[in-house]
Amino acid sequence: MDLFSPQDAPATWLVVATGVAALAVTVPRRVWLLARNAITIAHEGGHGLVALAAGRRLEAIRLHSDTSGLTVTRGRPTGLGVVLTLAAGYTAAPLLGLGGAALLGAGRVTLLLWSATALLLAMLVMVRNAYGILTVVLTGALFVLVSWLTGPEVQAVFAYAVVWFLLLGGVRPPFELQSKRRRGGAPDSDADQLSRLTHVPAGVWLAFFHTVSLSCLIGGATWLLAL
């Protein structure tokens, strides 16, 4: 299996259809509550990856059945490292989607599937609760099954659907957080923790999350649709 050989993109109507399917998973609340687990994996994985890159010690990752999560790191309680770690959560799914769109735009479907599998395997090592382990294992198994048991056409459609979901699904959580904060909830959200650390209002951090997610969606869609 050649990870770096380009593959032909599916027909434009299939690319559009995968985007519509991802939107249909993202918008209805009942479906979203289940599908959001995948965004939570990306969110907590983003915290963990950036924490390691910033020189912090990654202690544990937990994923919960209500689609919330927790990443525990050790290091200086202030400074750039902890700021980057906190900022990585809500931006992780959109940025992963943008990176995936870049790979698909270059025809690297196989590379995308196996890169995602490798990231899930690396994350699994740090997950410390049963539900989290189950979620990551099932997600990773889906990528492996598609990579091994299906043909190039099915792999491409699956990869496009995943990337569309990361891009579209990455837009919704900042709006959900904004709604919770408006009702007085989520006092220890990433935005509020960042506000206390940087003395920048939480609303500015929310605007940053919105800007990243929407920019990634626009840029990613441009690559996926070959505009």
Side-chain angles (χ1 to χ4, degrees):
M1 182 182 298
D2 189 347
L3 294 179
F4 300 98
S5 293
Q7 294 173 237
D8 293 334
T12 302
W13 72 269
L14 271 176
V15 175
V16 174
T18 58
V20 172
L23 189 63
V25 170
T26 304
V27 174
R29 178 173 172 77
R30 288 186 177 182
V31 182
W32 169 246
L33 289 177
L34 178 62
R36 197 184 192 280
N37 283 285
I39 300 299
T40 303
I41 290 174
H43 182 114
E44 301 305 330
H47 282 316
L49 183 62
V50 173
L52 291 173
R56 297 180 64 79
R57 181 178 176 183
L58 180 58
E59 295 282 339
I61 294 174
R62 293 184 176 86
L63 307 171
H64 305 133
S65 59
D66 63 355
T67 73
S68 66
L70 176 67
T71 298
V72 180
T73 67
R74 292 286 182 267
R76 289 182 57 195
T78 60
L80 182 60
V82 68
V83 170
L84 291 175
T85 298
L86 286 167
Y90 281 96
T91 58
L95 289 173
L96 285 172
L98 183 64
L103 287 175
L104 293 181
R108 302 303 197 272
V109 174
T110 304
L111 179 60
L112 183 146
L113 294 176
W114 285 104
S115 296
T117 304
L119 288 173
L120 287 166
L121 182 61
M123 183 174 176
L124 181 61
V125 176
M126 296 308 301
V127 177
R128 293 291 183 267
N129 67 318
Y131 182 82
I133 291 172
L134 177 64
T135 303
V136 175
V137 166
L138 290 176
T139 305
L142 179 60
F143 276 87
V144 171
L145 289 174
V146 170
S147 299
W148 279 108
L149 300 181
T150 65
E153 296 81 6
V154 175
Q155 291 176 14
V157 169
F158 175 76
Y160 273 82
V162 167
V163 171
W164 273 121
F165 178 68
L166 288 171
L167 291 169
L168 292 165
V171 171
R172 183 162 178 172
F175 283 101
E176 292 178 332
L177 176 59
Q178 187 173 351
S179 178
K180 287 180 182 178
R181 294 189 72 258
R182 191 180 297 118
R183 298 193 303 268
D188 290 319
S189 71
D190 293 352
D192 290 281
Q193 293 184 64
L194 284 165
S195 178
R196 290 193 288 268
L197 282 167
T198 63
H199 305 294
V200 174
V204 174
W205 284 106
L206 270 171
F208 170 70
F209 296 154
H210 285 309
T211 300
V212 171
S213 63
L214 292 171
S215 297
C216 287
L217 175 58
I218 294 169
T222 301
W223 272 320
L224 293 176
L225 297 171
L227 299 178

